[in-house]
Amino acid sequence: RPPDVSGRIREHLGDSLLLITAEGPRTIELDERTQVTTLEGDVLSLDSLEKGQPVAVFGQRDGQVLIARVIVLLPPPPPNQP
């Protein structure tokens, strides 16, 4: 299934993540069940979430809040070609 939201990490604030998305800024809640993985499926810690990192988030909605279940680290986009 497609991710619930994707974008770049603007800030990682303890139990939340602020993403810059095509639709504008989004706050994603993190909890003890949130997993961070690479595209290859390697599991990483929440500490691996860095500002500027592109991510895809799969989660569960609780009203207007999206609680992340899996955050997939995406490769950075290629540099602009001349």
Side-chain angles (χ1 to χ4, degrees), residues 6 8 10 15 39 51 60 64 66 69-70 72 76-78:
S6 59
R8 277 187 189 282
R10 178 165 181 189
D15 61 356
L39 279 175
K51 184 175 180 173
Q60 146 189 348
Q64 292 296 313
L66 179 66
R69 287 291 159 251
V70 177
V72 180

Side-chain angles (χ1 to χ4, degrees), residues 23-70:
E23 296 80 37
R26 289 283 307 271
T27 299
I28 310 300
E29 297 295 319
L30 309 174
D31 69 13
E32 68 281 350
R33 295 191 299 169
T34 302
Q35 285 192 324
V36 179
T37 70
T38 63
L39 279 175
E40 293 77 28
D42 298 323
V43 176
L44 306 172
S45 74
L46 289 175
D47 293 337
S48 59
L49 298 171
E50 296 181 1
K51 184 175 180 173
Q53 175 78 48
V55 294
V57 179
F58 298 86
Q60 146 189 348
R61 292 200 183 280
D62 182 7
Q64 292 296 313
V65 177
L66 179 66
I67 302 168
R69 287 291 159 251
V70 177

